[in-house]
Amino acid sequence: MLTKFETKSARVKGLSFHSKRPWILASLHNGVIQLWDYRMCTLIDKFDEHDGPVRGIDFHKQQPLFVSGGDDYKIKVWNYKLRRCLFTLLGHLDYIRTTFFHHEYPWILSASDDQTIRIWNWQSRTCVCVLTGHNHYVMCAQFHPSEDLVVSASLDQTVRVWDISGLRKKNLSPGAVESDVRGISGVDLFGTTDAVVKYVLEGHDRGVNWATFHPTMALIVSGADDRQVKIWRMNDVKAWEVDTCRGHYNNVSCAAFHPRQELILSNSEDKSIRVWDMSKRTGVQTFRRDHDRFWVLGAHPNLNLFAAGHDSGMIVFKLERERPAYAVHGNALFYVKDRFLRQLDFHSSKDVAVMQLRSGSKFPVFSMSYNPAENAVLLCTRASNLENSTYDLYSIPKDSDSQNPDAPEGKRSSGLTAVWVARNRFAVLDRMHSILIKNLKNEITKKVQVPNCDEIFYAGTGNLLLRDADSITLFDVQQKRSLSSVKICKVKYVVWSGDMTHVALLSKHAIMICNRKLESLCSIHENIRVKSGAWDESGVFIYTTSNHIKYALISGDHGIIRTLDLPIYVTRVKGNSVYCLDRDCRPRVLTIDPTEFKFKLALVNRKYDEVLHMVRNAKLVGQSIIAYLQKKGYPEVALHFVKDEKTRFSLALECGNLEIALDAAKALDEKGCWEKLGELALLQGNHQIVEMCYQRTKNFDKLSFLYLITGNLEKLRKMMKIAEIRKDMSGHYQNALYLGDVGERVRILNNCGQKSLAYLTAATHGLDEEAETLRATFDPEKETVPEIDPEAQLLQPPPPVMPLDTNWPLLTVSKGYFEGNMAGRGKGGQLAVDQLAMESAGTGGWEEDTELLLDEDGFVDAADGFGEEATRSTEEGGGWDVEEDLDLPPELELAGSAGGTSDGFFVSPSRGSNPAQVWCNNSQLPVDHLVAGSFETAARLLHDQVGVTSFGPFKNLFLQSFARGRSVFQALPCLPAMYGYPQRNWKDAGLKSGLPAVGLKLADLIQRLQLCYQLTTSGKFEEAVERFRAILLSVPLLEVESKQEIAEAQQLITICREYIVGLSMETERKRLPKDTLEQQKRICEMAAYFTHCNLQPVHMILVLRTAVNLFFKLKNFKTAASFAGRLLELGPKPEVGQQTRKILAACEKTPTDAHQLNYDMHNPFDVCAATYRPIYRGKPVEKCPLSGACYSPEFKGQICRVTTVTEIGKDVIGLRISSLQFR
């Protein structure tokens, strides 16, 4: 049993499949009717008008209707398109158990607990017949699928068959009177000939719950509370019991015939569904639920689908899978149909049976694997209990008669799956989930232990794909090892491309496309089930879901090609033909339109000539293509086949195409569009379009400012007059400020009651007459005359040197591929402005917009407002005051001609390469990548060259290097700063071979070393260690030019390492307690190890003095004497030398060591930088890849204590600080 869909709800009492759409109605015990799409697994609608349980439900075969009957005694007829109840039929006096439509006449049949069956005419909405005779609840009544019969089942333990031919004749004969048809006159007191009992079937010992006719044979099946399913046969004169199926152990709720096979399905309150073989009367399959009793069964009228309702919902299921087993090789398709292996030739469409398969398995063939070298097939059969699965190995006969093909003897063995892995070897996944390799005689040649695996798939010669719960693994059978793996849940099918370079992994709701190494290229999620797929010759994967044929590109783009009525299984895709098998194993060829995916493929592969050809010739339309082109960065292509103005406008904005944007904005004439167009035009310096946009949106402030910055004082004066007419004091004053018109400002201030400010303005600007006139208006008693500032400074806007009457010049650039090819077609893409300025006079063009005409918002007729100016503009046809014959500079002429009528619009010039990017391309030195700002690649280089894994301590060094990499200078005021990129090879760098100047020099680090020495001498060990480490970490960030400098840098690392290890050890020693003898011995050991660090003589003298004193106190005189000898060799100061000689003399009197220490001065050793214990020569040792510090083997993989950034024991290339090291 294959569950296709499952719902969770209240108890389901009734079910009905739609005959054409993938819908099912479920009526619930709580009064709700649900309409589900079982293919999409979604709830489409709910109908909730019944009170109490709804037990009867049925779709009409043709009309958009369904009928329901409930415990509220009501029968309701619904229209699912209108989503409402059309009418209610009343008449039954008790619960209604079932309701069914007649397949042909406008009748509804209902069975009720009032012991009657009624037939209703749903067109006249009346009851046309009442069938009485049962003497208990009638549990079920159904029409015969073709004859005038009704079968009913009742708790009176009988099944009755009724003849309703009288009713048909009466209601549909030409002489029937209207009132007879509509009325209930057919129901007489003394019975009627409308419907008569034909047979009463007695045989059940308890109440009968269900009875139904066979779709084509004269059979009836019934299920009852006696736990039995009975089969009855009938003829024209009698009906009799044929057989009984026993096996349920509780009441049988429902029983039904399989529409196309000799099977009966029944379900019961014993929580099981059982399938019975009609001929043998035996149980074939049983499906159980844990907690839910079953109440109803439904069979789809056309498809191999069933539904069952239970206590907590329903299930839609199949009895067996309908997917045909097939294999494709070259131009041949092999598939299994009706126990024959058939071969279809794709070229000639010749379809022949090549051999007969041996019978013996009751299960259909699950999968097939074909071997072209030996012309052999493996056919796998899955049993319901997986462990009983088998496979058959057949050698296909060379020349067999297609009418009567041979039945060669196959070799059958147990195994879940069998797949060819070589010319004469195949792999079998056995029931223990291990893999056996067998030869053509079906003999095991070897066993392969594999990781956990529950399915195997073909993966080319010698390889297999192994599936587990959440991944697929590529496994090499020869080497018995996994090559790679990819995470994907429960893969069902695997489809390889023809050249085996790509593979599609299909699971229930997902597709993943990978390359040969099983690296994921893209994954696609589907809401409905993925069924099959095949690769077409261009490398596009064509796949099917339950209701679509779709495509997927390896870039991840995917979409729908066409819809399907029924699922199909794709075998081959060639051109615009899809070869497939349907569920009846019939080969079919479907035609598809490959334009969309070919278009996308051409874009992805940058085959622009193909793209262009398609745009011109194909009917590519739809929002999805436009959105796709926008997303992929080709808005200019989309622009050429978009008609919708809004979309054109947004695409034109994206391309920066002002001309098309302007046309679209005019067509749309929305404020938002003008605002966006104004922004774009301003960015391109097209101030004439900006002016128009501000005029259309009546944005006076921005318009005034635009006139100010373009130096158009004449229009600025007009703006001032408009502000005055609009009584906009603030705007009026602002325009006067922009113009530097002091007299106007004085007048405005005076008019709005700001007398003091008016007086000050006049007085400070030397307008003495006005000032005096204003002064005279002050009332000396009440008002004070403001004082004039003697230091006042004149604020005057600078006069425009060159008013900007043309647009900002645009750079002439080469066209993009698409613009150049497309511009010749259609309108031509001229630079908008050149045309606008020259638009014809008269009513055309923009003249009504250019002169500011005011309406209720303040615009007035230009002639009223501006006298001569206005009349002149109307004479000339208005527009801008642009001279027709300007002497343009040659470069502007060039730009203008480039935008002629036949040319396209322009793409902005492609940005030059950043010097920083060039540096990265030219160098493998970490510091060059740092200076370029590419921290990620620098980090990768440091990791590969010196094993850096922890980058925290490098942060400041990275930022310092980056900061040194560029100089900054101010070009013009108000513009962002510009960067300079200093280069060390500036003399011969050119555009593509530059290398950055690196600020950090080896000499700087050597200088910093002196400071570290001073800190060491003064005993500030911790600070000294930090400084030494900073120098050590800076060395990989150097760039040097000679071999001598490379050697010096290596030496610098060694010095830093010796000091860091020694000083860290000394710091640790000083922290140790001195209470016990063992502790004192450890202190002496560490002091002795310190003397073996390679330090400067001045520091070694101090270290040896400490060691001499400690060993003398411990009475290890012999070792103390050796330290004293080494100290004297270094030539210390006289007083130190004198004291050391005394100690040496004392030691030589008793040249012995009182205590045994872990220190052998004669055996060379390294000190472990983590434990501070000796690692004697010959013992295993791990080193830091940068500093060379030594460690015991157990520290491999940890972070080095000396550098704090590198991984101990890592295998690396080595320090690289010069280009010499790469030659």
Side-chain angles (χ1 to χ4, degrees):
M1 174 173 166
L2 302 165
T3 304
K4 290 289 166 189
F5 173 54
E6 201 162 344
T7 68
K8 293 273 183 287
S9 66
R11 182 183 304 166
V12 173
K13 300 296 285 184
L15 289 169
S16 175
F17 279 104
H18 195 284
S19 57
K20 296 183 179 62
R21 298 188 178 181
W23 292 354
I24 186 167
L25 279 168
S27 60
L28 310 185
H29 198 266
N30 62 6
V32 175
I33 300 165
Q34 295 178 331
L35 176 59
W36 291 91
D37 184 320
Y38 53 80
R39 203 186 272 177
M40 297 292 285
C41 307
T42 50
L43 179 65
I44 298 170
D45 216 333
K46 278 163 69 173
F47 306 92
D48 187 3
E49 283 187 26
H50 280 287
D51 294 329
V54 184
R55 300 173 194 275
I57 193 83
D58 190 32
F59 267 120
H60 195 281
K61 299 290 178 290
Q62 287 91 26
Q63 302 293 332
L65 304 176
F66 65 89
V67 61
S68 63
D71 285 8
D72 53 4
Y73 315 168
K74 292 175 184 171
I75 295 169
K76 288 181 178 283
V77 176
W78 311 73
N79 185 314
Y80 55 72
K81 282 189 177 169
L82 303 176
R83 303 177 64 189
R84 65 184 178 85
C85 174
L86 300 180
F87 54 89
T88 303
L89 301 171
L90 299 172
H92 277 297
L93 308 173
D94 207 337
Y95 297 172
I96 295 162
R97 293 284 173 175
T98 61
T99 51
F100 289 101
F101 280 110
H102 193 277
H103 60 280
E104 191 177 342
Y105 304 135
W107 293 343
I108 291 168
L109 180 69
S110 59
S112 167
D113 284 4
D114 64 7
Q115 305 182 15
T116 67
I117 300 157
R118 286 176 180 251
I119 299 175
W120 312 76
N121 184 318
W122 56 263
Q123 287 177 341
S124 62
R125 305 184 183 182
T126 53
C127 177
V128 292
C129 190
V130 181
L131 285 66
T132 54
H134 281 295
N135 52 27
H136 207 312
Y137 302 163
V138 185
M139 300 300 285
C140 167
Q142 295 196 44
F143 287 115
H144 192 281
S146 55
E147 296 174 32
D148 293 327
L149 297 175
V150 165
V151 66
S152 62
S154 165
L155 295 191
D156 64 7
Q157 304 180 15
T158 65
V159 174
R160 292 180 180 234
V161 178
W162 310 75
D163 184 341
I164 56 164
S165 53
L167 180 71
R168 178 177 62 85
K169 286 169 188 159
K170 176 181 172 184
N171 276 354
L172 297 151
S173 62
V177 193
E178 187 75 11
S179 62
D180 277 359
V181 178
R182 287 178 177 275
I184 203 159
S185 57
V187 184
D188 299 339
L189 282 171
F190 306 108
T192 172
T193 55
D194 286 0
V196 292
V197 176
K198 196 170 184 184
Y199 315 117
V200 178
L201 307 177
E202 295 177 315
H204 283 291
D205 300 335
R206 296 273 181 90
V208 187
N209 291 313
W210 201 267
T212 186
F213 290 111
H214 192 282
T216 53
M217 294 157 67
L219 293 174
I220 294 169
V221 67
S222 61
D225 288 350
D226 59 5
R227 307 174 186 180
Q228 294 173 5
V229 176
K230 286 187 183 288
I231 304 166
W232 315 79
R233 188 175 289 279
M234 59 182 183
N235 59 19
D236 289 342
V237 293
K238 63 172 182 173
W240 64 98
E241 183 181 328
V242 178
D243 219 323
T244 303
C245 302
R246 294 179 175 85
H248 282 294
Y249 48 90
N250 206 332
N251 304 341
V252 179
S253 321
C254 195
F257 289 106
H258 193 295
R260 281 178 299 286
Q261 292 180 30
E262 297 269 296
L263 297 173
I264 292 170
L265 284 86
S266 64
N267 65 10
S268 157
E269 293 176 43
D270 65 6
K271 305 169 190 165
S272 73
I273 300 174
R274 289 172 190 257
V275 183
W276 313 86
D277 186 318
M278 269 168 66
S279 51
K280 299 177 185 162
R281 279 71 169 174
T282 53
V284 183
Q285 290 169 289
T286 305
F287 313 113
R288 299 184 196 281
R289 281 186 81 84
D290 294 336
H291 307 294
D292 301 313
R293 297 166 296 176
F294 283 101
W295 298 103
V296 65
L297 260 177
H300 195 287
N302 313 319
L303 305 177
N304 176 25
L305 275 182
F306 300 90
H310 53 76
D311 280 337
S312 59
M314 66 155 175
I315 51 173
V316 176
F317 62 95
K318 284 182 186 177
L319 291 182
E320 73 261 333
R321 74 191 226 135
E322 297 170 282
R323 182 189 184 89
Y326 63 89
V328 178
H329 176 72
N331 282 314
L333 164 72
F334 295 90
Y335 66 100
V336 175
K337 182 178 183 180
D338 303 331
R339 308 309 301 172
F340 288 99
L341 179 71
R342 301 184 70 86
Q343 179 178 354
L344 169 75
D345 187 303
F346 287 127
H347 280 335
S348 62
S349 301
K350 188 178 164 192
D351 185 6
V352 293
V354 290
M355 73 181 197
Q356 191 174 345
L357 306 180
R358 92 185 228 202
S359 58
S361 171
K362 59 185 178 183
F363 299 104
V365 176
F366 184 83
S367 64
M368 179 192 307
S369 182
Y370 175 68
N371 179 351
E374 299 289 337
N375 201 27
V377 287
L378 292 162
L379 302 177
C380 304
T381 306
R382 285 278 166 94
S384 48
N385 178 1
L386 278 179
E387 295 192 351
N388 298 337
S389 301
T390 59
Y391 70 88
D392 292 274
L393 168 61
Y394 289 102
S395 192
I396 300 174
K398 280 281 184 288
D399 34 33
S400 67
D401 175 14
S402 60
Q403 296 304 315
N404 188 18
D406 297 344
E409 192 59 36
K411 299 181 174 67
R412 177 173 292 178
S413 297
S414 69
L416 300 180
T417 311
V419 177
W420 295 102
V421 288
R423 188 179 61 78
N424 54 1
R425 294 283 185 274
F426 62 92
V428 179
L429 181 68
D430 70 4
R431 66 179 74 168
M432 305 308 292
H433 294 274
S434 61
I435 290 178
L436 314 173
I437 304 297
K438 296 190 174 186
N439 60 17
L440 292 169
K441 294 176 183 171
N442 205 22
E443 298 161 341
I444 297 174
T445 58
K446 70 174 172 184
K447 281 192 175 185
V448 181
Q449 282 304 315
V450 292
N452 179 29
C453 147
D454 57 16
E455 181 66 290
I456 59 174
F457 301 101
Y458 175 73
T461 306
N463 292 335
L464 285 173
L465 288 176
L466 313 181
R467 178 186 85 182
D468 60 28
D470 62 349
S471 67
I472 283 274
T473 305
L474 182 61
F475 187 81
D476 188 317
V477 179
Q478 297 296 108
Q479 301 176 28
K480 299 186 183 177
R481 68 188 185 95
S482 299
L483 302 176
S484 60
S485 171
V486 66
K487 288 274 182 205
I488 176 172
C489 283
K490 278 290 177 196
V491 169
K492 296 174 80 173
Y493 313 109
V494 166
V495 187
W496 287 93
S497 61
D499 55 3
M500 296 294 286
T501 54
H502 293 101
V503 62
L505 308 175
L506 279 55
S507 67
K508 197 171 181 179
H509 291 290
I511 294 172
M512 181 178 277
I513 295 179
C514 302
N515 61 15
R516 185 77 186 88
K517 295 177 180 172
L518 220 58
E519 293 161 340
S520 173
L521 302 176
C522 71
S523 59
I524 296 161
H525 181 77
E526 290 288 345
N527 289 327
I528 49 178
R529 292 170 189 243
V530 178
K531 290 290 178 190
S532 66
W535 294 87
D536 91 334
E537 59 262 36
S538 59
V540 177
F541 185 63
I542 307 297
Y543 65 98
T544 63
T545 63
S546 301
N547 51 2
H548 286 117
I549 301 180
K550 296 189 164 190
Y551 67 86
L553 309 186
I554 56 175
S555 60
D557 290 312
H558 59 101
I560 296 172
I561 298 174
R562 62 171 279 181
T563 52
L564 295 170
D565 298 329
L566 291 170
I568 56 158
Y569 303 93
V570 178
T571 55
R572 179 77 176 280
V573 181
K574 196 164 178 63
N576 56 358
S577 298
V578 170
Y579 299 86
C580 57
L581 289 170
D582 64 14
R583 284 184 157 167
D584 297 326
C585 274
R586 288 193 302 260
R588 295 171 58 186
V589 183
L590 300 178
T591 308
I592 59 167
D593 178 5
T595 313
E596 185 180 325
F597 68 77
K598 292 253 169 89
F599 178 77
K600 291 185 177 179
L601 189 68
L603 264 183
V604 169
N605 294 338
R606 295 194 166 87
K607 293 182 178 170
Y608 294 140
D609 46 348
E610 278 182 43
V611 173
L612 203 61
H613 179 74
M614 286 182 175
V615 168
R616 286 178 176 166
N617 301 323
K619 293 189 172 95
L620 278 164
V621 288
Q623 291 297 322
S624 61
I625 280 282
I626 295 161
Y628 178 83
L629 287 164
Q630 259 182 298
K631 186 173 132 194
K632 295 290 176 190
Y634 298 104
E636 68 274 17
V637 185
L639 205 48
H640 283 265
F641 53 88
V642 175
K643 299 285 181 284
D644 175 54
E645 292 294 353
K646 208 156 203 166
T647 315
R648 279 176 74 78
F649 180 74
S650 58
L651 286 169
L653 286 188
E654 201 169 328
C655 306
N657 188 330
L658 277 180
E659 184 207 7
I660 292 179
L662 181 63
D663 289 346
K666 281 181 175 177
L668 292 165
D669 200 19
E670 292 173 6
K671 186 178 179 184
C673 292
W674 288 115
E675 284 172 352
K676 285 179 184 167
L677 179 60
E679 281 176 36
L680 180 72
L682 198 58
L683 280 172
Q684 293 192 14
N686 192 323
H687 67 85
Q688 296 172 350
I689 290 184
V690 177
E691 179 179 3
M692 180 187 181
C693 295
Y694 289 167
Q695 288 173 3
R696 287 288 175 103
T697 56
K698 296 181 182 164
N699 199 329
F700 300 109
D701 292 349
K702 286 189 174 179
L703 201 50
S704 296
F705 190 70
L706 179 73
Y707 291 145
L708 174 71
I709 59 169
T710 54
N712 196 333
L713 299 185
E714 194 177 330
K715 287 198 176 160
L716 198 50
R717 284 193 192 92
K718 288 183 189 172
M719 288 305 297
M720 188 164 78
K721 285 181 185 173
I722 288 168
E724 188 176 358
I725 294 163
R726 291 176 59 243
K727 300 190 170 48
D728 175 10
M729 287 292 183
S730 172
H732 190 181
Y733 186 77
Q734 194 167 19
N735 285 316
L737 266 177
Y738 287 162
L739 284 163
D741 188 337
V742 181
E744 190 68 23
R745 273 155 52 197
V746 172
R747 193 166 70 78
I748 295 165
L749 290 168
N750 194 23
N751 288 349
C752 70
Q754 296 287 348
K755 199 159 54 174
S756 304
L757 286 173
Y759 167 70
L760 276 176
T761 306
T764 48
H765 286 84
L767 300 179
D768 298 334
E769 283 181 29
E770 285 88 341
E772 282 307 318
T773 310
L774 285 165
R775 192 185 180 106
T777 62
F778 280 88
D779 184 342
E781 290 179 11
K782 295 177 185 171
E783 296 169 314
T784 56
V785 179
E787 288 179 25
I788 296 158
D789 182 3
E791 302 295 319
Q793 291 180 335
L794 179 65
L795 283 176
Q796 191 75 0
V801 179
M802 192 186 97
L804 189 64
D805 50 4
T806 58
N807 286 320
W808 196 267
L810 296 177
L811 188 63
T812 306
V813 291
S814 59
K815 294 171 196 153
Y817 184 88
F818 294 109
E819 296 91 313
N821 278 289
M822 291 176 176
R825 306 168 60 80
K827 297 171 70 168
Q830 319 90 319
L831 267 170
V833 179
D834 294 337
Q835 285 304 104
L836 293 175
M838 307 350 178
E839 251 185 26
S840 60
T843 52
W846 298 0
E847 57 278 358
E848 72 263 17
D849 304 317
T850 49
E851 300 303 331
L852 293 148
L853 310 178
L854 282 176
D855 50 21
E856 67 279 353
D857 291 321
F859 276 119
V860 294
D861 190 293
D864 300 344
F866 315 129
E868 280 176 37
E869 189 64 52
T871 45
R872 193 190 72 189
S873 62
T874 47
E875 282 162 20
E876 292 178 3
W880 328 99
D881 300 326
V882 179
E883 293 178 32
E884 297 290 324
D885 50 0
L886 277 178
D887 294 331
L888 291 176
E891 67 272 14
L892 281 186
E893 288 285 1
L894 219 165
S897 62
T901 46
S902 65
D903 290 347
F905 50 89
F906 296 99
V907 284
S908 56
S910 57
R911 192 175 172 183
S913 54
N914 188 334
Q917 185 60 47
V918 174
W919 295 346
C920 291
N921 296 344
N922 290 343
S923 173
Q924 287 291 303
L925 301 184
V927 67
D928 290 343
H929 288 250
L930 279 185
V931 173
S934 178
F935 286 11
E936 193 176 335
T937 51
R940 201 172 302 128
L941 288 170
L942 285 171
H943 175 267
D944 295 345
Q945 291 173 7
V946 290
V948 178
T949 56
S950 168
F951 288 91
F954 267 119
K955 182 178 178 181
N956 282 337
L957 294 170
F958 275 28
L959 292 172
Q960 281 169 11
S961 298
F962 177 55
R964 290 187 180 113
R966 63 205 60 204
S967 56
V968 183
F969 48 87
Q970 192 81 18
L972 287 168
C974 309
L975 284 186
M978 298 179 74
Y979 290 107
Y981 295 87
Q983 305 198 128
R984 61 174 181 265
N985 60 343
W986 53 274
K987 286 181 181 171
D988 48 5
L991 279 176
K992 295 289 180 191
S993 51
L995 291 168
V998 178
L1000 188 65
K1001 296 279 183 275
L1002 181 62
D1004 301 340
L1005 295 185
I1006 293 170
Q1007 204 171 340
R1008 277 156 61 182
L1009 192 64
Q1010 298 307 319
L1011 176 62
C1012 298
Y1013 286 158
Q1014 289 169 20
L1015 289 169
T1016 308
T1017 309
S1018 56
K1020 296 176 181 172
F1021 291 169
E1022 290 182 8
E1023 193 181 341
V1025 167
E1026 288 302 317
R1027 297 291 181 96
F1028 276 119
R1029 188 170 287 131
I1031 294 172
L1032 177 57
L1033 295 186
S1034 299
V1035 173
L1037 309 185
L1038 286 173
E1039 187 279 325
V1040 299
E1041 289 172 359
S1042 66
K1043 289 186 177 177
Q1044 184 190 345
E1045 286 181 306
I1046 296 172
E1048 283 178 16
Q1050 296 280 14
Q1051 192 184 348
L1052 186 58
I1053 289 175
T1054 308
I1055 292 170
C1056 292
R1057 176 194 71 220
E1058 293 292 323
Y1059 270 89
I1060 292 169
V1061 172
L1063 297 177
S1064 303
M1065 182 162 59
E1066 184 64 8
T1067 310
E1068 181 66 22
R1069 182 184 72 75
K1070 287 182 175 173
R1071 291 200 190 110
L1072 291 177
K1074 310 172 185 175
D1075 308 336
T1076 65
L1077 177 63
E1078 284 305 314
Q1079 288 167 346
Q1080 288 168 13
K1081 281 164 70 176
R1082 175 68 179 144
I1083 286 169
C1084 289
E1085 283 169 6
M1086 287 172 78
Y1089 305 151
F1090 195 7
T1091 66
H1092 289 262
C1093 291
N1094 193 354
L1095 309 180
Q1096 294 293 311
V1098 61
H1099 300 137
M1100 188 53 85
I1101 288 170
L1102 295 167
V1103 173
L1104 286 166
R1105 282 180 67 187
T1106 308
V1108 167
N1109 294 340
L1110 286 169
F1111 274 78
F1112 191 78
K1113 287 178 188 171
L1114 196 66
K1115 300 191 171 57
N1116 273 27
F1117 300 125
K1118 182 181 176 186
T1119 314
S1122 76
F1123 289 144
R1126 283 172 60 195
L1127 176 56
L1128 291 170
E1129 283 170 16
L1130 292 172
K1133 292 178 183 174
E1135 60 271 23
V1136 175
Q1138 195 176 349
Q1139 189 189 359
T1140 307
R1141 285 190 192 89
K1142 286 180 186 173
I1143 294 171
L1144 183 59
C1147 291
E1148 284 171 344
K1149 288 178 185 170
T1150 50
T1152 57
D1153 284 341
H1155 304 285
Q1156 180 68 38
L1157 297 182
N1158 181 12
Y1159 172 62
D1160 180 358
M1161 71 182 87
H1162 303 299
N1163 189 356
F1165 63 84
D1166 294 306
V1167 177
C1168 172
T1171 57
Y1172 305 126
R1173 295 191 184 277
I1175 304 171
Y1176 289 104
R1177 188 171 291 170
K1179 289 280 190 326
V1181 64
E1182 293 292 345
K1183 295 199 172 186
C1184 163
L1186 172 58
S1187 65
C1190 299
Y1191 292 89
S1192 301
E1194 68 262 23
F1195 291 99
K1196 183 173 182 177
Q1198 295 186 19
I1199 296 290
C1200 170
R1201 311 299 197 269
V1202 174
T1203 62
T1204 69
V1205 296
T1206 46
E1207 183 186 317
I1208 298 165
K1210 185 167 175 60
D1211 191 18
V1212 295
I1213 304 166
L1215 181 69
R1216 296 286 183 270
I1217 53 171
S1218 171
S1219 51
L1220 298 173
Q1221 292 170 295
F1222 292 99
R1223 287 178 191 162

